[in-house]
Amino acid sequence: MRTPALPLALAASLLCAPPAFALSEFGIEGMGVVSTKADETRASVSADGRRIVWASPDRAGGPGGGDLWQATLRDGRWVDPQPLPVPLNSPDADGDPFFSADGHWLYFASDRAGGHGGSDLYRAPVLADGRYGPPQNLGAAVNSRGDERAPTLSLDGTRLLFASDGHGGAGGMDLFVARLQGQAFGQPQALEGINSADDETDAAWLGDGRALVFARAR
């Protein structure tokens, strides 16, 4: 079940933004560029602070039923909003973007064809020229026959925090952490003491990764 987008989800992703981004005049409002009359959710800012990527389920102009969009920073303002190109966007629902702190990867969720079932987690490399490489499914250890959503990477890139209803847990959408093992993430572990019979999702690491913030909905 997809829980409603909550303001906390955006606030959580901003906690991972570079200090220069903060909440200045070109920040979360971006009126008419990032924020429009359509629905916009879960924004993530690149490591250099020069681009913002967000998801929209209904903004006109994208290739699918839910798309990833990007704007760039110019003279202190977000400008030139564009849907990300295919194959990052697909004819299906693509969302929940998250830039890694090292600037090398864009993580996202998608229910596109060819996954393991429901919504899967993917990542696409950020190339030296600013373009994106082909998306990569994170594999069967992370992705289940259910839905995986809201990927968030620790600052050192070794722990992937996400929500899922396909790995067991306490009920509904629960939070899990998968640790990097070589080039892939291993079997995820449920966050005991946090997960409940309600839906837990949209989590983000705080500071050095020893605490987190998340949303809970019934």
Side-chain angles (χ1 to χ4, degrees), residues 161-177 188-203 212 214-217:
L161 175 64
F162 64 96
S164 173
D165 62 4
H167 287 288
M173 296 293 289
D174 287 316
L175 297 177
F176 295 83
V177 172
Q189 301 296 315
L191 295 187
E192 297 182 3
I194 291 180
N195 292 325
S196 71
D198 297 326
D199 290 324
E200 285 78 31
T201 187
D202 290 316
L212 57 85
F214 64 95
R216 175 176 289 153

Side-chain angles (χ1 to χ4, degrees), residues 14 19 35 42 57 59 66 68 71 98 109 138 143 159 170 180 186 212:
L14 290 173
S35 295
R42 192 176 167 91
R59 188 164 175 162
L68 300 173
F98 184 85
L138 294 192
N143 292 314
R159 291 176 293 167
L180 189 64
L212 57 85

Side-chain angles (χ1 to χ4, degrees), residues 123-188:
R123 68 177 184 177
V126 181
L127 306 179
D129 61 4
R131 295 182 299 169
Y132 299 95
Q136 308 167 5
N137 188 289
L138 294 192
V142 169
N143 292 314
S144 69
R145 293 184 179 181
D147 291 325
E148 280 71 47
R149 302 190 185 279
T152 301
L153 205 63
S154 59
L155 290 177
D156 62 6
T158 63
R159 291 176 293 167
L160 178 69
L161 175 64
F162 64 96
S164 173
D165 62 4
H167 287 288
M173 296 293 289
D174 287 316
L175 297 177
F176 295 83
V177 172
R179 293 185 177 273
L180 189 64
Q181 299 176 355
Q183 299 299 311
F185 290 97
Q187 193 68 30

Side-chain angles (χ1 to χ4, degrees), residues 9-143:
L10 178 58
S13 68
L14 290 173
L15 291 170
C16 301
F21 177 72
L23 295 179
S24 62
E25 69 273 13
F26 59 83
I28 59 173
E29 52 288 84
M31 300 306 295
V33 177
V34 177
S35 295
T36 67
K37 291 182 179 180
D39 291 328
E40 286 90 14
T41 65
R42 192 176 167 91
S44 185
V45 177
S46 60
D48 62 5
R50 306 304 298 177
R51 71 174 88 179
I52 183 171
V53 171
W54 69 94
S56 178
D58 59 356
R59 188 164 175 162
D67 295 305
L68 300 173
W69 287 73
Q70 178 176 278
T72 56
L73 190 65
R74 186 184 307 149
D75 297 327
R77 297 287 179 181
W78 295 119
V79 298
D80 193 24
Q82 298 289 335
L84 292 185
V86 176
L88 269 79
N89 278 322
S90 73
D92 301 295
D94 306 295
D96 294 349
F98 184 85
F99 280 110
S100 63
D102 62 11
H104 294 164
W105 297 97
L106 175 66
Y107 286 76
F108 64 98
S110 176
D111 63 1
R112 65 187 60 197
H116 295 272
S119 177
D120 280 5
L121 300 185
Y122 293 79
R123 68 177 184 177
V126 181
L127 306 179
D129 61 4
R131 295 182 299 169
Y132 299 95
Q136 308 167 5
N137 188 289
L138 294 192
V142 169
N143 292 314

